Amino acid sequence: MDDATAQFVAWVRGAAPYIHAFRGRTFVVGFGGEVAAGKRAQSLAYDCNLLAALGIRLVLVHGARPQIDAEQARRGLEPRFHHGLRVTDPEALECVKSAMAVTRFEVEALLSQGLPNTPMAGSYIRVTGGNFITARPVGVVDGVDYQYTGAVRKIIAEEINADLDQQNVVLITPLGVSPAGEIFNLAMEEVAEAVAVALKAEKLIYLCDAPGLLGEDGQLVESVTADEAQSKLETGEGLTEDLHLFLPCAIRAVRKGVARCHLIDHDLDGGLLLEFFTHAGVGTVVSRDPLFRLREATVEDVAALVALISPMEADGTLVRRGRELLEQEIERFTVVEHDGVLVGCAALYPFSEDNAAELACLAVTPEYRRAGLGDQLLKRIERRARVQRLERLFVLTTRTAHWFRERGFSEIGPEALPRQKRELYNFQRRSKVFVKPL
């Protein structure tokens, strides 16, 4: 098997847990008019087709700001904005309705392709829409009358869910109507936020003009909590035009119950697939709480544990443990999840008669070995040992001696191990033994 083939097989196998985790979940994708009319629109349609084929309940919310600007220019009208929000007078409203209609049909056309030798060959996506949004006027702000610019009053979630239950892709145009029958121009990002909250979506995704949030060193920030994102929003440093608009919506959405909000570069080909079906992802994830979750293992984790530690057993880093043994000893394991997928583990084996415990099977997937998960697992195991009033924590290792030295462990000889463990010591493996007082 050549390298390219091996990489493909590894990628498909690596994507499998995410495919299982996301089937039947609701994703809301918001994107601006520049995406709908841009060079990546075709690829976006391909990727949405694939997400729908994998059983993801997909809601798309499109914008049309550049198309509206162009329509106003064609009619000799000057666009007016206040605090980043369009002022929609009666003439502008006509431009909004025209541009929104054309953009919607163009997106529907992209989703309706089925030519041979394309990713959509043999597929048929049913695209639906409707009067799902009740709107109200923004009104007068700072002395500026927004007129027909509106805000979301209510999302009729049960009707959207009914369409999703029929395996339709729901395409939402950011226009809303009032109970009096008036039409209001809505902000795409606010509609996407309101829809995601109303549907209790698993994910809200914004395709934006940046790779995501960047740190002070210019590197991508892979994940932030809502509080951290709020601090970044208040400083405003490094935020692009899209991020200024989308980040407040992302923060509100996760605080109102949306599990995750993702900010992905709209110019990155295959960004949706890379973000959701690879361990590392490509954008920034905003969540209410930290993205990684430590917990005690259950028997349902055995299959994932086997998949996690098998490569390290094969190369000799870890001692082999059969599935049956893992099932018997599962209560000894602590695991760490990333977005619902198990990415690290460690086990505690107490030797009460010696007031000691062994830290065993410490493993983290390669993609997250720089995320500090090993340290978090070590602290969790130390805490468990202290609760049991144990005084020493020891570990046997063949590959990671320096890592343990840096964390307060000292090397000892095998003869200093607890008697029961000493009798099982494998002199052929010649593991180094380290100990840390608790």
Side-chain angles (χ1 to χ4, degrees), residues 134-172:
T134 303
R136 60 174 176 80
V138 169
V140 179
V141 179
D142 297 334
V144 176
D145 187 354
Y146 280 94
Q147 301 184 62
Y148 291 98
T149 298
V152 175
R153 174 181 288 178
K154 181 182 179 183
I155 300 294
I156 307 175
E158 56 271 23
E159 294 298 329
I160 300 176
N161 276 319
D163 276 0
L164 294 173
D165 290 342
Q166 297 298 316
Q167 300 182 340
N168 299 323
V169 170
V170 176
L171 178 62
I172 294 180

Side-chain angles (χ1 to χ4, degrees), residues 219-361:
Q219 298 297 311
L220 178 69
V221 178
E222 294 181 355
S223 64
V224 292
T225 64
D227 290 343
E228 292 167 343
Q230 185 66 47
S231 297
K232 195 163 185 66
L233 182 64
E234 289 169 0
T235 64
E237 185 178 349
L239 297 185
T240 62
E241 181 181 4
D242 279 358
L243 291 176
H244 271 293
L245 297 172
F246 299 167
L247 192 55
C249 298
I251 294 168
R252 290 194 298 266
V254 298
R255 285 175 172 169
K256 293 177 181 178
V258 175
R260 302 281 186 269
C261 182
H262 299 253
L263 304 169
I264 305 174
D265 188 349
H266 60 50
D267 286 332
L268 178 62
D269 189 18
L272 290 175
L273 305 184
L274 292 168
E275 178 72 355
F276 299 128
F277 300 112
T278 63
H279 282 309
V282 292
T284 296
V285 184
V286 182
S287 58
R288 188 183 65 179
D289 301 311
L291 199 57
F292 294 102
R293 183 168 77 97
L294 270 75
R295 60 172 176 81
E296 306 315 316
T298 68
V299 70
E300 287 78 15
D301 297 312
V302 170
L305 274 173
V306 171
L308 172 66
I309 67 178
S310 291
M312 284 170 267
E313 292 176 340
D315 67 15
T317 302
L318 297 178
V319 175
R320 289 188 179 276
R321 286 173 171 79
R323 185 187 181 102
E324 184 176 346
L325 182 61
L326 283 173
E327 290 178 353
Q328 294 171 356
E329 300 180 342
I330 194 65
E331 76 280 355
R332 302 187 186 279
F333 279 81
T334 294
V335 297
V336 57
E337 290 179 324
H338 175 271
D339 212 11
V341 176
L342 195 149
V343 297
C345 68
L348 178 71
Y349 290 83
F351 295 86
S352 300
E353 66 276 12
D354 293 279
N355 289 323
E358 179 187 6
L359 164 62
C361 203

Side-chain angles (χ1 to χ4, degrees), residues 204-220:
L204 168 61
I205 304 107
Y206 288 116
L207 304 182
C208 56
D209 59 357
L213 295 177
L214 302 180
E216 293 180 358
D217 57 359
Q219 298 297 311
L220 178 69

Side-chain angles (χ1 to χ4, degrees), residues 1 19 26 46 63 73 101 121 173 177 213 261 290 299 324 381 420 430:
M1 183 184 296
I19 294 172
T26 300
Y46 291 160
T173 297
V177 296
L213 295 177
C261 182
V299 70
E324 184 176 346
I381 291 296
Q420 186 178 353
R430 298 182 63 186

